[in-house]
Amino acid sequence: MSKLKIAIQKSGRLNQDSLQILKDCGISIDNGKDQLKASASNFPLEVFYLRNGDIPQYLRDGVVDCAIIGENVLVEKGQDLNFTQRLGFSKCKVSVAVTKSTEYTNLKDLEGKRIATSYPNTVQQFLDKNNVDAKLHIINGSVEIAPNIGLADAIVDIVSSGSTLFKNGLKEVEVLLKSEAVLAVSPLISDENQALLNKIEFRMQSVLKGKNSKYVLLNAPNDRLEEIITLLPGMKSPTVLPLAEKGWSSVHTVIDKNQFWEIIDELKDKGAEGILVCPIEKMVL
């Protein structure tokens, strides 16, 4: 029986988040310490633990069928590869940073300057697009130290919280791109394995939809019921059940987690009471 081969980062946060979403999809990985390859016990899947920067070539060659990888890596090393799903974790930016003492107004301030980076392709494309001529120094790791030792005037690197920049006396001045984990696919994937990937994608979508939604229950006076329902965007329409107390109904619905606080005051103004908000583990559409 064919097995779907998926690559994930060998170590680091992306590794942990990737394994977690597979677990949330009901896939159990027999993950021994320091293994480079592991199999799922309840799904035809093999996991390959690879260096992040090597994954695009493995996809290109068909060694793996798919991968959970940072979008920033695809932009740098795999622009010929496609991804089918944004996964909502490992979010970061690829940004330009300079020393805190540097006066910076706009991109033209980088003209003729030295930029240290681990993302030369991404940076060069950005500079070309904005008609800026600068000299790139390619550094693998510890890019932040370059301005402080006189190697470069600026850096381009991944920024998450910004704490690393702060510790090294740097400030973020431009954002080249925003990135998150994505599900990338090999152009050589077989039809059989594409069918397996479709099943995993469906599960991932259910997990992500659940994480981004909340289940809301509230009590509504019947004479304001229609007004309250119009405030509740749901999957299709809310469930309305009569309460034991005459003249009241219980309303159940699902809303985007980011919308709730926008409408809570309106719900209360319309007479809604006993509002209960619950997390959703998975949502199958």
Side-chain angles (χ1 to χ4, degrees):
M1 182 179 179
S2 179
K3 286 189 176 183
L4 182 72
K5 298 178 178 65
I6 185 170
I8 67 172
Q9 190 179 46
K10 187 177 180 182
S11 59
R13 182 178 174 184
L14 187 55
N15 166 275
Q16 297 170 11
D17 289 339
S18 300
L19 290 174
Q20 184 61 52
I21 195 169
L22 291 175
K23 182 179 179 181
D24 292 340
C25 289
I27 297 174
S28 299
I29 308 297
D30 298 327
N31 184 25
K33 186 177 180 181
D34 298 327
Q35 279 185 307
L36 297 179
K37 185 173 74 170
S39 296
S41 59
N42 59 350
F43 193 90
L45 178 77
E46 283 186 324
V47 178
F48 287 66
Y49 300 96
L50 304 173
R51 287 181 65 252
N52 217 24
D54 294 339
I55 290 176
Q57 192 61 49
Y58 279 84
L59 286 167
R60 203 174 282 118
D61 293 341
V63 176
V64 295
D65 300 305
C66 58
I68 297 175
I69 188 172
E71 186 179 357
N72 58 295
V73 180
L74 285 187
V75 172
E76 176 65 24
K77 294 188 174 183
Q79 288 196 346
D80 56 318
L81 299 169
N82 296 321
F83 67 86
T84 59
Q85 181 79 43
R86 294 184 184 276
L87 300 176
F89 56 80
S90 294
K91 293 185 177 182
C92 64
K93 297 174 287 184
V94 177
S95 301
V96 180
V98 297
T99 60
K100 290 179 181 178
S101 60
T102 299
E103 292 187 12
Y104 184 90
T105 305
N106 55 47
L107 276 172
K108 288 302 179 181
D109 290 338
L110 297 176
E111 185 73 30
K113 297 297 195 299
R114 301 162 300 164
I115 302 176
T117 185
S118 301
Y119 298 90
N121 295 329
T122 302
V123 178
Q124 192 61 61
Q125 290 173 20
F126 180 78
L127 294 174
D128 292 345
K129 180 181 176 181
N130 290 280
N131 298 313
V132 175
D133 184 21
K135 184 177 181 181
L136 301 187
H137 286 278
I138 302 174
I139 299 177
N140 293 316
S142 301
V143 175
E144 296 87 358
I145 198 174
N148 294 319
I149 61 175
L151 182 63
D153 304 297
I155 69 165
V156 174
D157 201 15
I158 288 178
V159 177
S160 295
S161 65
S163 61
T164 302
L165 293 183
F166 180 80
K167 292 175 183 176
N168 285 276
L170 303 175
K171 61 182 179 182
E172 182 182 30
V173 292
E174 297 282 350
V175 177
L176 277 65
L177 65 92
K178 294 182 179 180
S179 174
E180 64 184 276
V182 298
L183 182 65
V185 183
S186 169
L188 301 179
I189 188 172
S190 66
D191 291 342
E192 188 176 4
N193 283 356
Q194 180 63 58
L196 293 173
L197 180 58
N198 291 343
K199 291 182 179 181
I200 288 183
E201 280 191 83
F202 175 77
R203 295 188 187 189
M204 286 182 172
Q205 290 164 5
S206 299
V207 169
L208 294 173
K209 186 66 177 176
K211 288 181 177 180
N212 291 323
S213 302
K214 297 290 184 181
Y215 190 73
V216 178
L217 302 87
L218 58 87
N219 297 331
N222 288 345
D223 60 351
R224 308 295 298 274
L225 189 57
E226 290 302 320
E227 295 175 78
I228 289 173
I229 287 175
T230 60
L231 295 174
L232 294 170
M235 295 171 64
K236 287 189 177 179
S237 63
T239 299
V240 179
L241 301 171
L243 289 178
E245 183 177 347
K246 189 176 180 180
W248 286 81
S249 295
S250 176
V251 180
H252 301 220
T253 192
V254 173
I255 66 173
D256 186 285
K257 70 178 183 180
N258 296 317
Q259 290 181 300
F260 176 73
W261 290 112
E262 296 177 6
I263 63 174
I264 183 65
D265 290 332
E266 292 183 78
L267 288 172
K268 292 173 65 178
D269 289 342
K270 299 296 185 184
E273 297 180 359
I275 302 171
L276 180 64
V277 183
C278 305
I280 299 174
E281 185 175 324
K282 298 175 183 67
M283 194 160 75
V284 181
L285 301 178

